[in-house]
Amino acid sequence: MNMLPDSDLFSLLAGATLAVKMVMLLLGGMSLWSWAIIFHKFFTIGAARKKVMEGYEAFMSSGDLSSGLKALGSREQSPLSRVSTLAVKEFRLLEKADVNRDRKRLLVKDTLRRVLKQGISKEMRSLTHNLPFLATCANAAPFIGLFGTVWGIMHSFHSIGLTQSAALATVAPGISEALVATAIGLLVAIPGTIFYNYFLGKLNEVETGMIDFAGAFLNRAEREITWATKGEQ
């Protein structure tokens, strides 16, 4: 069924005022960039979630801290491996520090906790990069489209005054052009809203998995490092 009997969408866009065209171009650019973000985040966040869940299970299934770290896999591929690498590196620096052993035992847990927290924050910043743009599209696109609509309707009423005719055939094309801007704004906002909330849910799962891993890492490190320290004379 033809929804636009007297014209089509392209002719409406071509006949719109300059301001409305600029609004549509802006919305078109926002839509292209938001879909690029959506496709990219769909794969990166999904892969991160899978690796975090699998890495946590592998770590918990291992017998000790050392074998657990080896089970996490490649440093370049696993978020948990990158986080644990930072913690191990900081532990080695503390181990070599010119501090007495009792003081090191007091410092090690807080030091590891801070480093693990920093590592998780770094991973989450990477995963959430560009996501705020989806929220911006969800909130701003309808209003940008509405601005184009209001501007187009103002132009139509101005045309009525010039032609001294309020016939529907006179004002309908201009109003139709203006309403297209609102429709495009909604087409930009709706996917942005849906996928922003979807990604937030997945990111929450990723962050929870990394926090659980950090807790397990600290528990094992505390048991094994304390035992090794007491055993050394």
Side-chain angles (χ1 to χ4, degrees), residues 65-136:
L65 182 60
S66 178
S67 61
L69 295 177
K70 291 179 181 178
L72 293 178
S74 171
R75 179 179 182 276
E76 290 75 16
Q77 299 297 327
S78 171
L80 295 185
S81 183
R82 291 191 290 268
V83 170
S84 62
T85 298
L86 291 175
V88 171
K89 181 179 179 180
E90 188 64 29
F91 170 73
R92 298 302 182 195
L93 292 174
L94 179 62
E95 193 175 39
K96 296 176 182 178
D98 187 16
V99 181
N100 67 71
R101 183 165 297 166
D102 291 336
R103 179 61 176 167
K104 288 181 181 180
R105 292 179 60 188
L106 293 174
L107 290 175
V108 65
K109 187 172 183 178
D110 286 338
T111 299
L112 289 178
R113 182 183 290 109
R114 286 193 297 270
V115 174
L116 288 169
K117 183 177 180 180
Q118 291 169 359
I120 292 172
S121 296
K122 182 179 179 181
E123 292 296 322
M124 293 305 297
R125 282 196 302 272
S126 176
L127 290 173
T128 58
H129 182 64
N130 284 329
L131 272 187
F133 184 78
L134 294 183
T136 300

